[in-house]
Amino acid sequence: MHSIGYFQSIIQKKIDGFCRVNGTEEILQPVNYIIQLPAKRMRPVLALMSANLFADEVEEIIYPALALEVFHNFTLMHDDIMDNAPLRRGNVTVHEKWNTNTAILSGDAMMIQAYQLMCKAPAENLKDVLSVFSTTALEVCIGQERDMQFEKRNDVTVQEYMEMIRLKTSVLVAGAMKIGAIISGASEKDQQMLYSFGENMGIAFQLWDDYLDAFGDQSKVGKQKGGDIIADKKTFLLLKAIALSNDAEKEIIEKYKGASPAHNAEKVVAIMRIFENLNLKELLQNEMKFYYDAALASMQQVAVADERKKPLLHFAESIMQRDR
Amino acid sequence: MHSIGYFQSIIQKKIDGFCRVNGTEEILQPVNYIIQLPAKRMRPVLALMSANLFADEVEEIIYPALALEVFHNFTLMHDDIMDNAPLRRGNVTVHEKWNTNTAILSGDAMMIQAYQLMCKAPAENLKDVLSVFSTTALEVCIGQERDMQFEKRNDVTVQEYMEMIRLKTSVLVAGAMKIGAIISGASEKDQQMLYSFGENMGIAFQLWDDYLDAFGDQSKVGKQKGGDIIADKKTFLLLKAIALSNDAEKEIIEKYKGASPAHNAEKVVAIMRIFENLNLKELLQNEMKFYYDAALASMQQVAVADERKKPLLHFAESIMQRDR
């Protein structure tokens, strides 16, 4: 069994090699730039850890794992255009550093490269692996589309939000785990259980982001507390607040929508008070625990010795305890 | 042996089915829109014709052929954003009918769908087919990148232009023919010859576009004569003119660059006179003939009976005689 750090270093080495092969071809410079921004490499690491449950040797999973990271970064490159984002991981976004056309085209090239890497999966698994990958990839696009639609809508439900984050974030984590399982020869049931583990962990992970924004220890979170509140972002908390609030509270939420930056501080205080009145901290914690437990239940059904599951369970636990 | 019309109707039926499956999913509406604009379906038809050289039954090539058409239309959707084009095949472009973000995201979804269709290739050919497809797809992106760079540069050579159109246009035609050959069980040499046939035909086809713009029968071409000249488009003719012209001619070319629309008519006359002085009509005809002959020479080496080659040769001939 290998550690997360070990897998991260394997992936980083492969990324370095990938960038060297890309060389100085102009269209691939933004690809090399975005993939080398500091990142946790969560998806490829999870694919490798998933494979490592069933096999000691995970060599065959490295390129497909890298494909997931390349694909993920492609989605970031295009999402940043659509979201008009100036920064990504603390650095200038591709469309700002180059221009929008370059970000579109280099993103396209990057997606093709993701498929090229995924095609290095063993021939006997290729059809299955590509099927999971493409289905997942399409769902990620649909998730992004929903997210953009939500910005324009005033009637988004909590249920719709949960489905959006499942599509935009969770399915790629789930797909990563399933691809690792497929290539390492897991049974179909185990593949499905790992997909389910990743899917539920992904949702819990995303909800944790919502939690940290409102209830995190600001000295550790490392960003402005209530950033989502200030941006009127339709998170689990805001949507739940809208659903559960009384008329007076609804009026307050409405009043602060799109408020000028001068009112940011009082806005955060006012909205946070509503969150507290409605017991949303506890509600969100319960919600996260629901998905976390569902993930653990799926893992329990995976037919390998408990000993082998420890790194993944430890990883899951660490995600639910992270403070930023 | 089947006719072009027969293959076109097969592809159209599959496109209709593809659109039905896409249904009402919002992100796929622009996909359904662009793929249903009237088109010749050249790439999928050529893939099927290529396969039909070697096999009477081409059922297994239909989905990969459709994948090529879906991919081609994806490139059009994204190119239209980059080129700021209002119209595509006489209809409003996707980014105009919806918006840029939708065109980016639906284009991404469309590329994934192209891969999903390509993955319906027979398992035993999948790795080879995807390898050709991805290599080609990446080259198409590089071709588009070069094309955009050329707009900003003043020192583009004819040689660079030829390489750009090879990447942007020809390799996908070539790849289509090779994919058809692979799946229908052609030998590696025959696969290579068909690739070469498509590559050379693609270049001849593109040069013919340049020819028609300047020397075509306007009543048949169906668009403004000298449209490329007016737009200062760096075509074979303009680049050759710049390379071969004397100082007086160079001055005229320079003078009309970016001229106001009021001077369009005299601009076309002046530049056309230079083309005539430099014998560029004949030069371009020779260039086209060079690639056309190269294509025929490749076809000659394909190890099937001449009788089977007739439809493809007829198709090649018709392309070189088209008047729009």
Side-chain angles (χ1 to χ4, degrees):
Chain A
M1 307 299 294
H2 299 294
S3 69
I4 295 175
Y6 172 76
F7 286 135
Q8 282 176 324
S9 77
I10 284 190
I11 289 297
Q12 188 54 48
K13 261 183 223 155
K14 286 287 169 188
I15 288 174
D16 294 343
F18 169 77
C19 292
R20 268 195 304 277
V21 173
N22 283 347
T24 57
E25 179 67 56
E26 200 147 342
I27 199 177
L28 301 179
Q29 298 318 298
V31 173
N32 284 0
Y33 171 77
I34 197 168
I35 195 103
Q36 288 289 14
L37 296 178
K40 291 192 285 290
R41 314 301 182 194
M42 190 168 77
R43 290 150 197 84
V45 166
L46 282 172
L48 288 163
M49 290 178 82
S50 175
N52 202 196
L53 277 175
F54 305 96
D56 290 327
E57 182 54 76
V58 296
E59 183 68 26
E60 283 182 322
I61 295 93
I62 298 178
Y63 279 113
L66 179 55
L68 294 161
E69 186 68 9
V70 171
F71 177 80
H72 173 58
N73 278 273
F74 141 74
T75 66
L76 300 181
M77 200 190 287
H78 276 192
D79 283 4
D80 284 343
I81 306 172
M82 298 180 230
D83 300 343
N84 215 356
L87 294 176
R88 166 63 62 185
R89 294 172 172 154
N91 290 271
V92 188
T93 45
V94 167
H95 64 99
E96 287 284 337
K97 191 173 164 75
W98 283 269
N99 55 60
T100 298
N101 283 353
T102 298
I104 293 172
L105 197 54
S106 292
D108 292 346
M110 198 167 190
M111 198 214 282
I112 296 164
Q113 292 197 301
Y115 271 100
Q116 285 182 315
L117 291 165
M118 197 56 90
C119 285
K120 294 188 185 228
E124 68 267 29
N125 307 122
L126 191 57
K127 208 143 200 166
D128 288 344
V129 164
L130 285 172
S131 168
V132 173
F133 182 52
S134 290
T135 302
T136 302
L138 206 48
E139 287 176 332
V140 171
C141 291
I142 294 173
Q144 166 68 5
E145 188 259 339
R146 300 266 165 93
D147 199 10
M148 291 198 301
Q149 291 298 333
F150 287 1
E151 278 178 40
K152 293 180 230 155
R153 281 176 49 193
N154 284 318
D155 57 352
V156 181
T157 65
V158 175
Q159 202 183 356
E160 285 180 307
Y161 174 75
M162 297 304 294
E163 176 63 1
M164 183 277 283
I165 62 172
R166 188 184 76 81
L167 292 166
K168 188 170 171 173
T169 307
S170 298
V171 295
L172 190 56
V173 175
M177 305 220 59
K178 187 168 181 178
I179 286 170
I182 291 172
I183 301 177
S184 61
S187 71
E188 267 186 49
K189 193 199 159 192
D190 284 348
Q191 292 170 23
Q192 195 42 51
M193 287 304 124
L194 281 161
Y195 184 92
S196 169
F197 173 84
E199 191 179 25
N200 286 300
M201 279 308 302
I203 294 174
F205 182 84
Q206 187 58 47
L207 289 177
W208 191 252
D209 258 3
D210 294 2
Y211 182 90
L212 287 178
D213 183 75
F215 308 115
D217 180 341
Q218 206 190 335
S219 68
K220 292 179 182 164
V221 175
K223 53 182 181 182
Q224 189 178 24
K225 185 165 170 160
D228 290 347
I229 294 172
I230 291 166
D232 300 314
K233 217 179 135 192
K234 295 187 181 90
T235 64
F236 177 90
L237 289 167
L238 184 64
L239 293 171
K240 208 74 183 175
I242 292 168
L244 300 178
S245 53
N246 59 31
D247 287 352
E249 290 164 332
K250 276 192 178 63
E251 214 169 284
I252 294 171
I253 294 171
E254 202 52 44
K255 173 183 146 194
Y256 280 110
K257 207 160 80 180
S260 77
H263 298 92
N264 281 352
E266 56 173 289
K267 178 177 180 175
V268 172
V269 170
I271 303 288
M272 281 296 292
R273 192 171 302 137
I274 296 174
F275 288 176
E276 278 150 33
N277 291 346
L278 297 170
N279 244 331
L280 293 192
K281 184 174 179 177
E282 208 187 341
L283 203 79
L284 180 49
Q285 282 171 333
N286 287 342
E287 192 83 5
M288 288 188 288
K289 192 160 182 328
F290 172 82
Y291 288 101
Y292 182 62
D293 288 346
L296 296 189
S298 296
M299 184 57 82
Q300 208 149 26
Q301 292 201 53
V302 175
V304 303
D306 284 350
E307 188 61 26
R308 296 194 79 92
K309 297 178 183 172
K310 274 189 183 166
L312 262 173
L313 291 174
H314 178 74
F315 182 71
E317 209 182 327
S318 73
I319 278 181
M320 297 311 290
Q321 284 169 356
R322 75 197 160 101
D323 44 25
R324 63 196 181 97
Chain B
M1 306 300 292
H2 299 293
S3 69
I4 294 175
Y6 172 77
F7 286 135
Q8 282 175 324
S9 78
I10 283 190
I11 289 297
Q12 187 55 48
K13 261 182 222 157
K14 286 288 169 186
I15 288 175
D16 294 343
F18 168 77
C19 292
R20 267 195 305 275
V21 174
N22 283 347
T24 56
E25 179 68 57
E26 200 146 342
I27 199 177
L28 301 179
Q29 298 318 298
V31 173
N32 284 0
Y33 172 76
I34 197 168
I35 195 101
Q36 289 288 15
L37 296 178
K40 291 192 286 289
R41 315 300 183 194
M42 191 168 77
R43 290 150 196 84
V45 165
L46 282 172
L48 287 163
M49 289 178 82
S50 174
N52 202 196
L53 277 175
F54 306 95
D56 291 326
E57 181 54 74
V58 296
E59 184 69 26
E60 284 181 322
I61 295 92
I62 298 178
Y63 279 113
L66 178 56
L68 295 160
E69 185 68 9
V70 171
F71 177 81
H72 174 58
N73 278 273
F74 142 74
T75 66
L76 300 181
M77 200 189 287
H78 276 192
D79 283 4
D80 285 342
I81 307 172
M82 298 179 230
D83 300 342
N84 216 356
L87 293 177
R88 165 64 61 187
R89 292 172 174 155
N91 290 270
V92 188
T93 44
V94 167
H95 65 100
E96 288 284 337
K97 189 173 164 74
W98 283 270
N99 56 60
T100 298
N101 283 352
T102 299
I104 293 173
L105 197 55
S106 292
D108 293 346
M110 199 167 189
M111 198 215 281
I112 296 165
Q113 292 197 302
Y115 271 100
Q116 285 183 316
L117 292 164
M118 198 55 90
C119 285
K120 294 188 186 228
E124 67 267 28
N125 306 123
L126 191 57
K127 207 143 199 165
D128 288 344
V129 163
L130 286 172
S131 169
V132 173
F133 181 52
S134 290
T135 302
T136 302
L138 206 49
E139 286 176 334
V140 171
C141 291
I142 295 172
Q144 167 68 3
E145 188 260 339
R146 300 265 166 92
D147 199 11
M148 290 199 300
Q149 291 298 334
F150 287 1
E151 279 178 40
K152 293 179 231 156
R153 281 177 47 194
N154 285 317
D155 58 352
V156 180
T157 65
V158 174
Q159 201 182 356
E160 285 179 307
Y161 174 76
M162 297 303 294
E163 176 62 2
M164 184 277 284
I165 63 172
R166 189 185 74 82
L167 292 166
K168 189 170 171 174
T169 307
S170 298
V171 294
L172 190 57
V173 175
M177 306 221 57
K178 187 167 182 179
I179 285 170
I182 291 173
I183 300 177
S184 61
S187 71
E188 267 187 48
K189 193 199 160 193
D190 284 348
Q191 291 170 24
Q192 195 42 52
M193 286 304 123
L194 280 161
Y195 184 93
S196 169
F197 173 83
E199 192 179 25
N200 286 300
M201 278 309 302
I203 295 174
F205 182 85
Q206 186 59 46
L207 289 178
W208 191 251
D209 258 3
D210 294 3
Y211 181 91
L212 287 179
D213 183 74
F215 308 114
D217 179 341
Q218 206 190 336
S219 68
K220 290 181 185 164
V221 175
K223 54 183 180 183
Q224 188 177 23
K225 185 164 169 160
D228 290 347
I229 294 172
I230 291 166
D232 299 314
K233 219 179 134 191
K234 296 190 180 88
T235 64
F236 177 90
L237 289 166
L238 184 63
L239 293 171
K240 208 74 182 175
I242 291 168
L244 300 178
S245 52
N246 60 30
D247 287 351
E249 290 164 333
K250 275 192 179 61
E251 213 169 285
I252 293 171
I253 295 171
E254 201 53 43
K255 173 183 147 195
Y256 281 109
K257 207 159 78 179
S260 76
H263 298 92
N264 281 352
E266 55 172 291
K267 176 177 181 174
V268 172
V269 170
I271 303 290
M272 282 296 294
R273 191 171 302 135
I274 296 175
F275 289 176
E276 278 150 33
N277 291 345
L278 297 170
N279 245 332
L280 293 192
K281 184 175 179 175
E282 207 185 342
L283 203 78
L284 179 50
Q285 282 170 332
N286 288 342
E287 191 83 5
M288 287 188 288
K289 192 159 180 333
F290 172 81
Y291 288 101
Y292 183 61
D293 288 347
L296 297 189
S298 296
M299 183 57 82
Q300 208 147 27
Q301 292 201 53
V302 174
V304 303
D306 284 351
E307 187 61 26
R308 297 196 77 92
K309 298 178 184 173
K310 275 190 182 163
L312 263 172
L313 291 173
H314 178 73
F315 181 70
E317 209 183 327
S318 73
I319 279 181
M320 298 310 291
Q321 284 169 357
R322 74 196 160 102
D323 44 24
R324 65 195 179 100

